[in-house]
Amino acid sequence: KVLAGKPRRVSSKSRILNTRSELLLFLVKLVILSLPIGVIIDLNLYPLQAFIASLINSLFHLVRINSVLFNTMSSSIAITPALYLEKTGLILIIDSGCSGVRSFYLLFALLFSFPFNLKKQLETLLIGGLTLFFINLFRIFTVTLLVIYFNLPNLFENLLWTGTLHLTVFIITVYYLMT
């Protein structure tokens, strides 16, 4: 910093305290903004789930896998879209966890925990949200194909289901910080 033409030295102790207070502020904001994630899990996201199910159904038809789109009752006694894959007899239920909303909200909480400008945060959220949506579609489609053709165990399926979107949120956040 410059005062009256002379550079002012900032002590390393002062920088450490400043960094710690910035980190603490970031963590407090992140925790506060993350609180609604628990509520999001219980939201009825049927319109979004139905849209995703119809897109996945179209993708199956593109690769000549016969599937039938229908509604079923989930464990929370909510109507949930599902796909019946005729070749294998597999039923793919598109529940609220398949919507990608939790990952989108995690991205929101991360982005708005940083002290940058609102325009950049909103642009990154829009582009990141669209990226998450398409990666989520690709994730559901490819994991289902891997289950159909290679009969993969649930461990692999669960790792890809959650890990892919969390990795994407991390990459988008790093991109946001670097630009």
Side-chain angles (χ1 to χ4, degrees):
K1 295 184 178 183
V2 177
L3 294 176
K6 295 182 181 181
R8 182 177 160 221
R9 298 190 99 194
V10 179
S11 71
S12 61
K13 186 177 180 179
S14 175
R15 273 184 271 152
I16 290 171
L17 288 175
N18 192 28
T19 303
R20 285 182 181 168
S21 64
E22 288 174 1
L23 178 61
L24 181 61
L25 180 61
F26 167 79
L27 292 173
V28 167
K29 284 181 177 179
L30 183 61
V31 166
I32 290 170
L33 289 172
S34 297
L35 290 175
I37 288 177
V39 174
I40 289 172
I41 294 170
D42 294 329
L43 288 178
N44 181 356
L45 301 171
Y46 178 81
L48 178 59
Q49 293 166 235
F51 180 62
I52 291 170
S54 71
L55 291 175
I56 297 294
N57 190 41
S58 297
L59 288 172
F60 283 141
H61 288 277
L62 279 175
V63 296
R64 301 193 194 301
I65 294 176
N66 291 332
S67 58
V68 177
L69 184 60
F70 67 99
N71 288 320
T72 186
M73 298 295 276
S74 71
S75 59
S76 62
I77 314 198
I79 297 174
T80 305
L83 294 161
Y84 173 73
L85 305 175
E86 294 176 356
K87 178 181 178 181
T88 61
L90 181 71
I91 294 176
L92 175 64
I93 297 174
I94 308 295
D95 64 7
S96 62
C98 296
S99 69
V101 169
R102 285 180 279 184
S103 296
F104 177 80
Y105 193 80
L106 177 61
L107 178 64
F108 167 83
L110 278 168
L111 290 177
F112 286 89
S113 295
F114 291 107
F116 293 117
N117 68 47
L118 182 63
K119 181 181 177 192
K120 184 178 174 186
Q121 289 166 318
L122 291 174
E123 285 173 355
T124 306
L125 187 63
L126 177 65
I127 293 167
L130 289 171
T131 302
L132 283 171
F133 180 79
F134 288 111
I135 287 177
N136 188 42
L137 283 178
F138 180 74
R139 175 183 65 93
I140 294 168
F141 180 69
T142 55
V143 168
T144 304
L145 289 179
L146 291 171
V147 169
I148 290 170
Y149 291 110
F150 300 105
N151 200 17
L152 293 175
N154 284 340
L155 174 65
F156 180 78
E157 180 183 348
N158 290 334
L159 180 66
L160 268 182
W161 285 89
T162 56
T164 304
L165 288 179
H166 292 157
L167 179 62
T168 304
V169 168
F170 175 75
I171 291 169
I172 292 167
T173 304
V174 168
Y175 170 78
Y176 170 74
L177 292 171
M178 301 295 280
T179 59

